[in-house]
Amino acid sequence: MTTEREKATASAAPTAKRAMVGRLSWGLADQAASSLSNFAVGVYVARSLGPAAFGVFSLAWVTYGVVLNVSRGLATDPLVVRFSGVSDTSWRGAVARSSGTALGVGTALGAACLVVGLALGGSVGTAFAVLGVVLPALLLQDAWRFAFFAAGTGRKAFVNDLVWGVALVPAMVVAARVGSVAAFVLAWGASAAVAAAYGCLQSGIRPRMAGARGWLREQRDLGYRYLVENVSLSGASQLRAYGLGAIVGLGAVGAVRGAELLMGPFLAVLMGLSLVTVPEAARVLRQAPHRLGTFCLLLGGGQAAAALLWGAPLLMVPDRLGELVLGGVWHSASELIVAITFGVAGAGLGTGAAAGLRALGAARRSLRCQLFASACYVGGGLGGAAVAGTVGSAWGVAAATLSSSAVWWLQLRSALRERHHTPVPEVRTL
């Protein structure tokens, strides 16, 4: 005879699945909004500035990526691992300190960018100085997105990104009239400040910079490993961009960025993947740990297949349409589409395993994987550039991401085996 408990469990399963689908749907919607705004900014700047100036803007962009990953490693990655699906009181206390940490990172590293930019001078220096001014707002806006996904309220993250996108429109129009790289960087950051302020209203939480020291101390077992892991990822991208500019020229940096814009929807999803997948993987681990491996495989395989399906039609885009989108950057970017597509597919496959390792709290293993992946990325990107220029760099990166993906999956398999013998606690409450 079926017991009442068994009936309750059976009825709860579809409800839990619907809830997960709902959270993932809002995650996809948020990433779509983020992808669209990033794509629009890149296209607008590329058409307005031309290849060389767009290369300068791209250097500022990848530098922002490094700082963003510092903030995520110290502030928001531990938040989504340890405070996804906890009580509202625990979540609010953690978010106040986590967002305060992100704001503190933006202030400190923004000041460093400002000093370096003023020292460099020229268009590059001015762009970096302006980036330093807007970094606190950029990092705080990103912190709200992590916080909302940790709470399972992805709708709020989606709305916040929509606010940023709406604010971008007039800001970019004004920047185009000025016509400088610095103006576009300022417009990008000022619109993020609007969304960051709105995030405070959405959450009803004020960031506590004074709580940053306590947050760093409590999360140091994960935070500092995630910091090294994240910085190695974005630092590798930055080193590749700087090295490519030195070996081939700034136009090559713009060409790579242009090709990445064509794959923008999937690159944006990969960059912000932990917003959705790590909290969901953590929930799967707590509710049905035996399904974590399958969840990660479906996630990674789906990302890889989607990237290939997106990249194939790009090969048939006529030059007239490509020039309409990217202007003078199109011709050099179009030569990289095949290599970039395989690179994104390889990275997508690996992110499934990465989400599983994050959910398991296996920071040592994920750090090893990321250091290996970063070394391959820099080596393949710069080695390929030395041998065959921009196209060689793109193929070198594709080979690196495919090789690294295999390492991620080997480490996840080992971590899952270990967990059967030594369960890893993931949740901390305050």
Side-chain angles (χ1 to χ4, degrees):
M1 179 180 293
T2 303
T3 65
E4 292 297 324
R5 185 174 181 178
E6 289 172 339
K7 290 180 180 178
T9 302
S11 63
T15 302
K17 289 181 180 179
R18 283 195 298 269
M20 177 186 290
V21 171
R23 290 190 296 267
L24 288 174
S25 297
W26 280 117
L28 291 174
D30 176 71
Q31 288 301 334
S34 177
S35 300
L36 182 60
S37 62
N38 287 338
F39 180 77
V41 169
V43 168
Y44 197 70
V45 176
R47 288 181 56 82
S48 301
L49 297 180
F54 184 58
V56 175
F57 182 84
S58 298
L59 291 179
W61 185 284
V62 296
T63 302
Y64 156 70
V66 175
V67 178
L68 178 66
N69 280 299
V70 172
S71 175
R72 288 181 174 180
L74 294 176
T76 50
D77 282 345
L79 177 76
V80 298
V81 170
R82 286 180 167 152
F83 294 91
S84 293
V86 300
S87 69
D88 184 67
T89 301
S90 296
W91 176 80
R92 293 181 70 84
V95 169
R97 294 183 297 156
S98 173
S99 60
T101 302
L103 192 57
V105 169
T107 302
L109 295 185
C113 279
L114 177 61
V115 171
V116 170
L118 293 175
L120 285 175
S123 61
V124 175
T126 304
F128 272 70
V130 174
L131 176 64
V133 173
V134 300
L135 271 177
L138 287 164
L139 299 192
L140 182 58
Q141 191 276 337
D142 186 72
W144 292 131
R145 298 174 70 209
F146 272 80
F148 294 140
F149 278 110
T153 54
R155 177 182 59 84
K156 292 184 178 181
F158 171 71
V159 171
N160 193 275
D161 269 328
L162 280 184
V163 169
W164 188 3
V166 171
L168 265 171
V169 176
M172 284 289 156
V173 171
V174 173
R177 291 181 179 178
V178 176
S180 67
V181 176
F184 280 105
V185 175
L186 181 59
W188 172 45
S191 56
V194 175
Y198 183 63
C200 296
L201 295 176
Q202 286 179 292
S203 64
I205 298 172
R206 187 172 66 179
R208 288 178 50 206
M209 289 181 64
R213 180 175 298 179
W215 176 263
L216 294 174
R217 183 175 60 253
E218 293 171 10
Q219 310 300 329
R220 62 182 178 274
D221 58 325
L222 293 183
Y224 292 115
R225 288 193 177 95
Y226 288 161
L227 168 65
V228 176
E229 182 179 330
N230 289 357
V231 170
S232 69
L233 171 64
S234 54
S237 177
Q238 190 175 30
L239 286 174
R240 187 244 184 148
Y242 289 164
L244 185 61
I247 295 171
V248 185
L250 284 175
V253 180
V256 170
R257 177 60 186 154
E260 290 174 346
L261 282 173
L262 298 174
M263 295 295 297
F266 298 100
L267 287 172
V269 168
L270 292 178
M271 287 177 63
L273 197 62
S274 60
L275 290 173
V276 184
T277 56
V278 174
E280 290 307 319
R283 289 184 177 94
V284 170
L285 180 63
R286 296 182 192 116
Q287 298 169 6
H290 60 285
R291 295 179 181 172
L292 180 61
T294 302
F295 173 83
C296 294
L297 183 60
L298 291 173
L299 172 66
Q303 288 283 337
L308 293 173
L309 289 173
W310 178 268
L314 292 176
L315 297 173
M316 297 179 284
V317 173
D319 287 340
R320 182 176 298 178
L321 179 58
E323 290 171 0
L324 181 64
V325 175
L326 292 180
V329 179
W330 163 254
H331 291 289
S332 55
S334 62
E335 298 177 351
L336 311 179
I337 290 175
V338 176
I340 292 288
T341 298
F342 278 104
V344 173
L349 185 60
T351 55
L357 288 175
R358 284 287 175 96
L360 288 165
R364 290 178 183 269
R365 291 187 178 277
S366 61
L367 177 58
R368 292 190 206 114
C369 291
Q370 191 54 66
L371 290 176
F372 175 81
S374 298
C376 289
Y377 184 92
V378 175
L382 297 186
V387 173
T390 311
V391 175
S393 179
W395 278 112
V397 166
T401 56
L402 289 168
S403 301
S404 302
S405 178
V407 175
W408 280 106
W409 280 101
L410 288 173
Q411 288 294 323
L412 177 61
R413 185 178 66 174
S414 298
L416 288 172
R417 288 177 176 175
E418 281 183 0
R419 192 179 183 280
H420 290 303
H421 304 287
T422 309
V424 180
E426 292 300 332
V427 181
R428 290 184 180 181
T429 57
L430 298 176

